[in-house]
């Protein structure tokens, strides 16, 4: 253990679900567990888009912002774009900041090309990261 090391390892999870999808619990409980029990440095709640409604998306945006504490615990707004494998499979979409973000759910972007095109029309490319 070093005080102020030159490099540091950060621990986190970029893929998790609550009762909004096939998991259990609430977004608040998810972020509290990640911060207080698992003692992670960063965390994303990536609910499946095809089961998420607008109220749930707004809840995720608000909850992500509420738990973000720069320098202590980083939360990242995201969701899992969920299509059948021939159309693109599952891709996690992450946003640089939670406020004002719009998703491109599979109902509007039914294949991977449409996902990229739709997100590019909604956000600057530097504000979105997509990982299969």
């Amino acid at each position: 253990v070093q005080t102020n090391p030159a490099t540091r390892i950060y621990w986190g999870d970029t893929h998790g679900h609550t009762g909004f999808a096939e998991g259990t619990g609430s977004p608040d409980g998810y972020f509290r567990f990640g911060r207080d029990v698992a003692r992670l440095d960063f965390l994303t709640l990536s609910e499946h888009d095809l089961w998420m409604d607008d109220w749930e998306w707004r809840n995720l945006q608000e909850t992500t912002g509420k738990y973000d504490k720069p320098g202590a615990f980083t939360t990242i707004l995201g969701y899992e774009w969920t299509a059948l494998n021939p159309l693109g499979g599952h891709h996690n979409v992450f946003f640089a900041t939670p406020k004002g973000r719009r998703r491109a759910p599979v109902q509007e972007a039914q294949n991977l090309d449409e996902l990229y095109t739709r997100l590019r029309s909604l956000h600057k490319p530097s504000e979105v990261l997509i990982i299969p």
Side-chain angles (χ1 to χ4, degrees):
V1 176
Q2 298 175 347
T3 302
N4 299 318
T7 59
R8 183 169 175 211
I9 297 172
Y10 293 94
W11 298 96
D13 193 343
T14 59
H15 190 119
H17 302 292
T18 68
F20 284 1
E22 72 258 347
T24 61
S26 69
D28 276 296
Y30 179 82
F31 283 114
R32 280 195 312 269
F33 178 85
R35 180 192 64 198
D36 302 336
V37 179
R39 297 181 187 214
L40 298 175
D41 297 301
F42 63 91
L43 190 58
T44 300
L45 179 52
S46 53
E47 299 291 13
H48 289 279
D49 63 330
L50 78 156
W51 295 317
M52 190 173 7
D53 62 28
D54 289 340
W55 179 87
E56 291 168 329
W57 178 244
R58 284 190 305 277
N59 183 288
L60 290 183
Q61 287 176 294
E62 292 168 8
T63 307
T64 299
K66 177 171 118 179
Y67 284 91
D68 188 52
K69 302 293 179 222
F73 183 63
T74 299
T75 57
I76 303 164
L77 178 65
Y79 71 94
E80 185 174 354
W81 179 80
T82 311
L84 298 174
N85 285 340
L87 300 175
H90 294 208
H91 286 68
N92 288 317
V93 178
F94 305 104
F95 296 96
T97 57
K99 192 171 183 177
R101 299 300 175 191
R102 295 186 51 206
R103 60 193 167 97
V106 73
Q107 295 90 337
E108 296 173 9
Q110 296 180 358
N111 62 53
L112 195 54
D113 287 342
E114 291 176 6
L115 172 66
Y116 278 80
T117 300
R118 180 88 171 113
L119 285 171
R120 216 177 270 121
S121 74
L122 297 170
H123 305 286
K124 295 177 186 173
S126 62
E127 298 171 337
V128 181
L129 174 66
I130 303 169
I131 300 176

